[in-house]
Amino acid sequence: MNSPKPTPAPRAKRSVRARARRRPSRSGWLWFGALLGAGGALVSAFVGWALASGPGTGKRVILEIPENPSSTQVAQLFAERQLITSPWLFSFYLDIVRRGVPIQPGSHIFNDALSPRDLTRRLGRLKQRGSRKVTIVEGFDSWQVAERLEANDVCSAEAFVKVAFDPEALKEVRLEKSAEGFLFPATYDFREDSDPRLVLYQLVKEARRRLIEVLKSEPDGLNRLKNDFGMGVSEILTLASIVEKEAARADERALIAGVFLNRLSDPNFQPRQALQSDPTAAYGCRLLGATIPSCVGFGGKITPAMLRDSLNPYNTYAHPGLPPGPICNPGLGAVRAVLSPAETDYLYFVAVGGGKHAFSRTYAEHQRVYAPKPGAAPVPVATTPQPPGN
């Protein structure tokens, strides 16, 4: 016989007061809502600050960012150059985004109107930063290319020139001595605040692509220059750069190229194989500066002393043949002129105004071009030990 199950003891009823204590009060909800609202307002204000323009008016600022800097270091650098107004807030912002934005060391180009977000994009060289269309003009040298890049916030001029002549950077693009001649004149899309090495790579890559095309289109000219003058691509570019600097008009490029090739090949031209081009001496002064006595204080004006100075290796009055390398970055028109020069017996040319030149076969003819008209001031001629060539 089964014994009856014990009856469970009745549960104690919760008091109304206990239940009331577990239910949030109305004031509690109000406080919670206030905290949420304040937090949202803070987040909204912080986002607004990150997107707001900087304290300046767009002044360009170039900074060298060290390896592995702390957020505090970067913020202090920015504050010193007046890119930001709150170092603490910017440092806090960098700490938040640091995982997704690895700061790139080296030369950076900013401006004081950029928002904290845009400053950070440039620091990490993110794809979201802006881009610029930049036109490199035919005949620009490395310094002019660098100035154009800086003016468009692509990279600093100083950093680009350094890379264009840096042996290690040149190895990466398979060049020696310098990138002069391979900074191809064209219009490019560059990211703002780009690594100068990447800019160099893009310019040289375009130069090689265009040069391959034009050399393939002129096989006869290429073979003639190789067989008659021993010229390779580097020498062709060097002569094209001189033609680019001397020819103000496209329709005279082939004539001027022909004159220089005649000077290299004519045994009667004196001094032998002297190209006698003023821009070559000027380039040597810009490149080597005060290490050349006649170049001390050079500001762009070519002097007779410069044309006499044999210590300038680029001076084609003092040294026969081509200079050590290109003196600017020629366009395809100048390269084609060298590959297909005008066939004349001209050995001299001189500017006569309006970008035009007068061409002569003999030095006597050349002198007559210089002779002033009655009552006119004489045309200044560089004083050189030998008759001027152009």
Side-chain angles (χ1 to χ4, degrees):
M1 182 176 177
N2 296 329
S3 58
K5 294 180 179 179
T7 304
R11 293 182 180 179
K13 294 183 178 180
R14 294 178 181 175
S15 67
V16 174
R17 184 177 299 174
R19 289 198 299 271
R21 279 200 298 269
R22 289 179 174 273
R23 186 180 301 157
S25 67
R26 185 175 181 182
S27 61
W29 282 112
L30 290 174
W31 275 109
F32 182 67
L35 287 173
L36 281 178
L42 284 173
V43 170
S44 178
F46 185 64
V47 171
W49 167 85
L51 299 178
S53 297
T57 57
K59 178 184 175 183
R60 189 173 296 110
V61 176
I62 296 168
L63 277 177
E64 191 74 21
I65 303 298
E67 292 275 354
N68 301 314
S70 68
S71 298
T72 303
Q73 283 179 296
V74 174
Q76 189 59 41
L77 279 173
F78 280 10
E80 288 171 359
R81 299 300 296 274
Q82 299 181 336
L83 292 169
I84 57 174
T85 54
S86 174
W88 177 87
L89 199 55
F90 189 81
S91 177
F92 177 66
Y93 178 73
L94 272 186
D95 284 335
I96 292 174
V97 302
R98 194 72 180 264
R99 290 179 181 272
V101 184
I103 294 175
Q104 302 297 320
S107 176
H108 285 262
I109 188 164
F110 305 102
N111 75 66
D112 60 11
L114 290 176
S115 68
R117 182 186 67 173
D118 289 332
L119 289 172
T120 305
R121 285 175 171 177
R122 292 197 183 189
L123 271 175
R125 294 204 163 110
L126 304 183
K127 290 182 179 179
Q128 295 90 337
R129 68 193 192 280
S131 63
R132 299 287 184 95
K133 282 193 178 296
V134 181
T135 299
I136 306 301
V137 177
E138 295 173 343
F140 269 15
D141 60 29
S142 295
W143 296 273
Q144 291 170 309
V145 172
E147 290 163 4
R148 177 64 58 89
L149 293 171
E150 181 173 305
N152 284 275
D153 280 1
V154 175
C155 61
S156 84
E158 182 181 354
F160 183 79
V161 169
K162 183 178 179 180
V163 165
F165 291 91
D166 176 60
E168 292 302 316
L170 293 171
K171 282 182 184 178
E172 296 176 10
V173 291
R174 295 178 287 116
L175 292 176
E176 298 177 1
K177 296 181 182 177
S178 83
E180 199 74 80
F182 285 89
L183 308 177
F184 189 77
T187 298
Y188 299 84
D189 278 316
F190 291 120
R191 298 277 184 189
E192 294 171 343
D193 186 38
S194 289
D195 185 332
R197 289 173 182 258
L198 294 180
V199 176
L200 178 68
Y201 174 80
Q202 192 170 343
L203 290 167
V204 173
K205 180 181 178 182
E206 184 66 14
R208 285 205 169 99
R209 185 181 73 82
R210 300 289 190 98
L211 282 171
I212 288 171
E213 291 177 358
V214 73
L215 292 174
K216 283 183 177 179
S217 70
E218 298 281 356
D220 293 339
L222 181 61
N223 290 330
R224 185 174 70 88
L225 291 171
K226 181 180 179 181
N227 296 331
D228 295 352
F229 299 93
M231 289 188 185
V233 173
S234 178
E235 290 77 18
I236 291 171
L237 271 180
T238 299
L239 184 52
S241 72
I242 300 173
V243 172
E244 189 72 77
K245 280 296 190 182
E246 293 279 12
R249 294 164 55 99
D251 59 356
E252 290 189 351
R253 287 175 184 148
L255 283 168
I256 291 174
V259 168
F260 287 131
L261 289 170
N262 287 344
R263 291 178 184 179
L264 290 174
S265 60
D266 191 331
N268 297 315
F269 181 74
Q270 295 297 322
R272 287 283 286 119
Q273 295 189 322
L275 294 183
Q276 296 186 328
S277 171
D278 292 7
T280 61
Y283 183 84
C285 283
R286 185 155 198 186
L287 177 64
L288 301 171
T291 61
I292 300 172
S294 64
C295 296
V296 174
F298 175 67
K301 184 179 179 180
I302 300 168
T303 66
M306 288 168 53
L307 302 182
R308 290 192 297 265
D309 195 345
S310 62
L311 294 178
N312 184 343
Y314 282 82
N315 181 7
T316 53
Y317 282 87
H319 301 283
L322 295 169
I327 62 170
C328 72
N329 297 280
L332 291 183
V335 176
R336 287 195 180 96
V338 172
L339 290 167
S340 184
E343 295 186 9
T344 70
D345 52 0
Y346 292 140
L347 288 170
Y348 303 92
F349 64 95
V350 63
V352 292
K356 295 181 179 181
H357 292 85
F359 295 84
S360 307
R361 295 169 178 81
T362 67
Y363 184 57
E365 292 177 5
H366 183 63
Q367 283 182 308
R368 283 197 292 272
V369 176
Y370 276 115
K373 295 178 181 179
V379 178
V381 181
T383 304
T384 64
Q386 300 291 338
N390 58 356

